[in-house]
């Protein structure tokens, strides 16, 4: 989730980005922050989409940068809509946390916003390790 109005006004995405996943029971951590650490295993399918807190302001996930040996995100569109989402399959079990970078388009600004904070994929047992 993104608060696009606040992000545009402050030119700061870190304070206005709230990341979540559906793997809390397996030990994911950092919910509601831009430094979400998602626990994953080889073969897991990842899905990224974005929800604006202000529905009248344009928001889109523009790019995902991650080690291609771990996952290769693919941009897709829900059939019959213009709603974009991204998916990737985790290619291997992780030996250490793998940070990745998200970039977003907000409002009418043509330059993507990229938070400084980085979420990461982690293996089971990496809870609390930053990987930086």
């Amino acid at each position: 989730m993104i608060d696009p109005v606040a992000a545009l006004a402050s030119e700061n995405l870190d304070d206005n980005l709230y990341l979540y996943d559906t793997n809390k029971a397996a030990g994911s951590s950092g919910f509601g922050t831009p430094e979400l650490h998602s626990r994953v295993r080889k073969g897991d399918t990842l899905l990224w989409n974005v929800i604006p807190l202000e529905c009248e302001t344009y928001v889109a996930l523009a790019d995902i940068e991650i080690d291609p040996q771990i996952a290769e995100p693919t941009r897709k569109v829900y059939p019959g809509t213009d709603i974009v989402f991204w998916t990737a399959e985790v290619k291997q079990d992780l030996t250490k946390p793998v940070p990745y970078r998200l970039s977003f388009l907000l409002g009418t600004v043509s330059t993507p916003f990229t938070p400084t904070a980085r979420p990461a994929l982690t293996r089971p047992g990496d809870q609390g390790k930053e990987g930086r």
Side-chain angles (χ1 to χ4, degrees), residues 6 10 17 19-20 23-24 29 42 60 79 85 87 108 111 127:
S10 66
L17 178 63
L19 300 177
Y20 296 90
N23 213 14
K24 186 173 186 175
S29 62
K42 179 181 179 181
F85 66 101
T87 64
T108 59
T111 304
Q127 187 169 352

Side-chain angles (χ1 to χ4, degrees), residues 12-13 22 39 52 68 73 86 92 97-98 107 110 119 131:
N12 181 337
L13 193 52
T22 58
R39 293 253 180 120
W86 295 70
Q92 59 183 302
V98 176
S110 60

Side-chain angles (χ1 to χ4, degrees), residues 23 38-46 69-71 88-95 121-124:
N23 213 14
S38 298
R39 293 253 180 120
V40 299
R41 296 182 188 276
K42 179 181 179 181
D44 284 354
T45 299
L46 307 173
Q69 293 183 355
I70 302 301
E89 183 176 317
V90 178
K91 295 180 178 182
Q92 59 183 302
D93 284 323
L94 305 179
T95 58
L121 302 180
T122 63
R123 66 185 176 137

Side-chain angles (χ1 to χ4, degrees), residues 2 7 11 19 21-22 28 54 56 67 82 88 102 122 127:
I2 293 179
E11 296 183 358
L19 300 177
D21 71 22
T22 58
S28 291
E54 168 58 57
E56 294 178 4
D67 181 344
D82 60 355
L102 301 170
T122 63
Q127 187 169 352

Side-chain angles (χ1 to χ4, degrees), residues 11-119:
E11 296 183 358
N12 181 337
L13 193 52
D14 286 275
D15 293 338
N16 300 291
L17 178 63
Y18 313 94
L19 300 177
Y20 296 90
D21 71 22
T22 58
N23 213 14
K24 186 173 186 175
S28 291
S29 62
F31 289 90
T33 75
E35 293 184 342
L36 175 69
H37 284 212
S38 298
R39 293 253 180 120
V40 299
R41 296 182 188 276
K42 179 181 179 181
D44 284 354
T45 299
L46 307 173
L47 183 138
W48 292 272
N49 61 14
V50 62
I51 299 169
L53 291 179
E54 168 58 57
C55 64
E56 294 178 4
T57 304
Y58 178 77
V59 172
L61 181 54
D63 193 28
I64 302 170
E65 297 173 30
I66 190 169
D67 181 344
Q69 293 183 355
I70 302 301
E72 293 185 65
T74 302
R75 183 184 183 274
K76 298 181 179 181
V77 177
Y78 286 106
T81 74
D82 60 355
I83 300 171
V84 172
F85 66 101
W86 295 70
T87 64
E89 183 176 317
V90 178
K91 295 180 178 182
Q92 59 183 302
D93 284 323
L94 305 179
T95 58
K96 61 182 180 179
V98 176
Y100 60 95
R101 185 177 309 274
L102 301 170
S103 295
F104 299 89
L105 293 174
L106 305 177
T108 59
V109 178
S110 60
T111 304
F113 283 72
T114 304
T116 337
R118 294 183 68 185

